[in-house]
Amino acid sequence: NTLIILLEEKERRRKEEMEKRKVVMCGVLSLLGLLSALTAFAAEATKVKKSQTKVTTSDSLTRCSYHRSPAYNLGFASAVFLMMAQIIASVGSGCFCCRKGPAPSRSKWIISLICFIVSWFTFVIAFLVLLSGAALNDEHAEEAAFPDAYFCYTVGTGVFSTGSVLSLVTIALGIVYYLCLNSSNQNVGVTRTVANQGGGIAMGQPQIPERGEDPVFVTAACPQRVLLCFLEKEIEFEIVHVDLDTLEQKKPEHLLRQPFGQVPAIEDGDFKLFESRAIARYCATKYSNQGTNLLGKSLEHRAIVDQWADVETHYFNVLAFPIVLNLVIKPRLGEECDAVLVEELKAKLGVVLDIYENRLASNRFLAGDEFTMADLTHMPAIGYLMRTDVNQMVKARVNMNRWWEELTARPAWKKLMKMAGFEA
């Protein structure tokens, strides 16, 4: 049978809009950069040259006369185009320290910061060179000097060309730091799925047949748990997006699947089921003869799997979800996080992680030597925590860090991250 998992369209559409904004922004910056460079090169070609100055002598004074040149207007226009591009790039990227939205990876943040600083440096030089060249070129008065010591000043060769090259460098750097700060691969999309289901947490494995799927931007933890189970069990499925923005989840046809009007939910023939943990257990049981054995091999083993799956629900997720809410979701919505609450939750989470560290000191996975549902159900939430400073709490615990690295090396997890539009 083919399973249909019902997810939301909001995140997919948000990422599509983000990509469109990137294209528009890069197009505008490129156009302004090209205009700035072309007008600067035109100014270089039309600037006043020494051969065009007129020297006259009267009353023992030598005078230099200059004719008007379009280089003044061209140089000024080039500087204006450059300034517009720099302002647009800076405003579009936002402030490094207080910008809203998900943070990029550390490497991209460093690259964007370097490009930002260098671009402003080259901008200032290019702007001053273009304006100075334009002003000095627009000399209409006559200069006087003592006989035999006169000179007729003209703008040196290459001044406007230098400004043109620096303009292109500035625009290129601006585009790079804009793209790095708005990298879609690092956007940790947390949709209403997480908030509505109280958060979920998951991860996965086996040799999955390669399918050329485009990212579906399933970034919420609960749908990720379900998809990860599908991938581990090698279940064929179709994703049907439900648009929460238009309240499609409140329509009668969806309420037949999920009476609370949330996602995810599945249809397996005539059978309908909602709640991600219930869906994962159902699929792991129904398709027990294929893919990874997620439930355990004996009665005792199954009991241990259930035990640690319940630990995730009642001890881990109740702390992890509000931390993710404050460190990831609220900043993205433009809301302030409760820093005091986060520190209190971190302290409590540390106690829980110590227990996990203890458990993993003598076990490869939570329920023993094999990967099971007990591990899978933790992974989405830990994935979010690892994108915050809480990751140090995991890395500081040798056994937990070893466990997490082994989990994220599983093919199903990598497949899920690719589907979600994240970096595995």
Side-chain angles (χ1 to χ4, degrees):
N1 291 337
T2 297
L3 290 178
I4 299 178
I5 178 170
L6 293 141
L7 305 167
E8 68 173 289
E9 177 140 319
K10 180 180 179 181
E11 187 65 18
R12 179 178 63 83
R13 197 166 55 191
R14 184 188 70 81
K15 291 213 173 186
E16 288 177 352
E17 291 174 354
M18 181 180 292
E19 292 304 314
K20 290 179 181 178
R21 285 198 298 271
K22 286 182 182 180
V23 172
V24 172
M25 176 65 78
C26 292
V28 170
L29 293 179
S30 299
L31 176 61
L32 289 173
L34 185 61
L35 289 174
S36 178
L38 289 177
T39 50
F41 278 124
E44 179 70 26
T46 59
K47 70 181 180 67
V48 176
K49 301 175 178 60
K50 285 188 177 181
S51 60
Q52 296 174 323
T53 59
K54 294 181 180 180
V55 181
T56 59
T57 303
S58 63
D59 300 330
S60 301
L61 292 175
T62 299
R63 303 178 184 277
C64 297
S65 300
Y66 302 82
H67 78 286
R68 288 184 176 275
S69 165
Y72 170 77
N73 293 328
L74 291 171
F76 183 76
S78 178
V80 170
F81 287 136
L82 177 61
M83 181 174 64
M84 290 172 60
Q86 187 69 358
I87 291 174
I88 290 173
S90 298
V91 173
S93 300
C95 175
F96 275 85
C97 58
C98 58
R99 68 189 300 272
K100 298 177 181 179
S105 65
R106 180 173 178 78
S107 61
K108 289 186 178 179
W109 188 90
I110 292 175
I111 293 173
S112 62
L113 180 61
I114 293 174
C115 290
F116 178 81
I117 294 173
V118 176
S119 73
W120 273 102
F121 180 75
T122 56
F123 163 74
V124 170
I125 296 177
F127 190 75
L128 292 177
V129 165
L130 292 171
L131 284 185
S132 299
L136 292 174
N137 185 82
D138 194 47
E139 178 64 62
H140 302 308
E142 295 178 337
E143 292 186 1
F146 291 105
D148 301 325
Y150 70 88
F151 66 93
C152 297
Y153 180 82
T154 57
V155 177
T157 301
V159 172
F160 290 108
S161 296
T162 300
S164 176
V165 172
L166 289 175
S167 295
L168 292 175
V169 172
T170 300
I171 300 304
L173 291 170
I175 291 175
V176 171
Y177 79 70
Y178 170 79
L179 292 177
C180 285
L181 280 182
N182 294 274
S183 172
S184 62
N185 283 340
Q186 292 300 328
N187 285 343
V188 184
V190 183
T191 68
R192 274 179 280 178
T193 304
V194 174
N196 291 333
Q197 286 208 342
I201 331 293
M203 137 84 201
Q205 146 139 14
Q207 297 302 320
I208 302 158
E210 286 297 326
R211 296 184 299 181
E213 299 153 299
D214 292 328
V216 293
F217 306 122
V218 181
T219 55
C222 291
Q224 281 189 7
R225 177 184 291 109
V226 174
L227 285 179
L228 190 52
C229 179
F230 288 174
L231 294 172
E232 285 285 351
K233 299 301 296 180
E234 300 176 343
I235 300 170
E236 292 295 324
F237 60 90
E238 174 187 0
I239 294 177
V240 178
H241 290 279
V242 175
D243 191 349
L244 301 188
D245 286 341
T246 60
L247 298 180
E248 186 178 348
Q249 76 276 19
K250 301 299 182 182
K251 293 182 179 179
E253 55 267 31
H254 183 66
L255 292 177
L256 290 175
R257 308 182 189 104
Q258 221 287 14
F260 296 98
Q262 309 298 341
V263 290
I266 66 165
E267 291 181 357
D268 185 10
D270 294 330
F271 179 70
K272 298 177 176 63
L273 187 65
F274 61 91
E275 291 299 320
S276 62
R277 292 173 180 84
I279 294 171
R281 288 193 300 270
Y282 164 77
C283 294
T285 302
K286 179 173 181 178
Y287 297 91
S288 59
N289 293 327
Q290 67 184 64
T292 304
N293 181 354
L294 297 174
L295 300 177
K297 296 181 177 180
S298 66
L299 176 62
E300 292 77 12
H301 191 200
R302 290 190 176 212
I304 296 298
V305 172
D306 290 342
Q307 169 185 274
W308 283 97
D310 286 347
V311 168
E312 181 273 327
T313 303
H314 301 295
Y315 295 92
F316 179 79
N317 191 60
V318 292
L319 300 174
F321 174 69
I323 291 176
V324 172
L325 177 66
N326 277 277
L327 294 184
V328 179
I329 304 176
K330 283 188 175 181
R332 180 180 169 188
L333 298 176
E335 301 176 8
E336 292 185 7
C337 75
D338 189 334
V340 175
L341 175 61
V342 169
E343 291 306 314
E344 293 176 355
L345 292 169
K346 283 182 182 180
K348 294 178 180 179
L349 181 63
V351 176
V352 174
L353 296 186
D354 285 340
I355 296 174
Y356 280 58
E357 177 72 5
N358 233 6
R359 173 67 179 175
L360 293 167
S362 56
N363 293 273
R364 182 182 175 190
F365 297 102
L366 288 175
D369 293 330
E370 297 179 359
F371 175 82
T372 64
M373 187 69 72
D375 306 289
L376 183 149
T377 195
H378 282 82
M379 292 186 61
I382 297 181
Y384 282 116
L385 291 177
M386 295 300 287
R387 296 171 186 267
T388 71
D389 60 0
V390 180
N391 61 19
Q392 298 303 318
M393 297 178 67
V394 174
K395 293 179 179 180
R397 291 166 170 81
V398 177
N399 296 307
M400 271 210 73
N401 192 53
R402 181 266 308 160
W403 173 66
W404 177 246
E405 288 182 352
E406 187 167 358
L407 295 184
T408 54
R410 296 178 71 81
W413 176 257
K414 293 181 178 180
K415 181 74 171 180
L416 176 63
M417 293 298 97
K418 182 179 179 181
M419 289 176 62
F422 292 160
E423 293 179 352

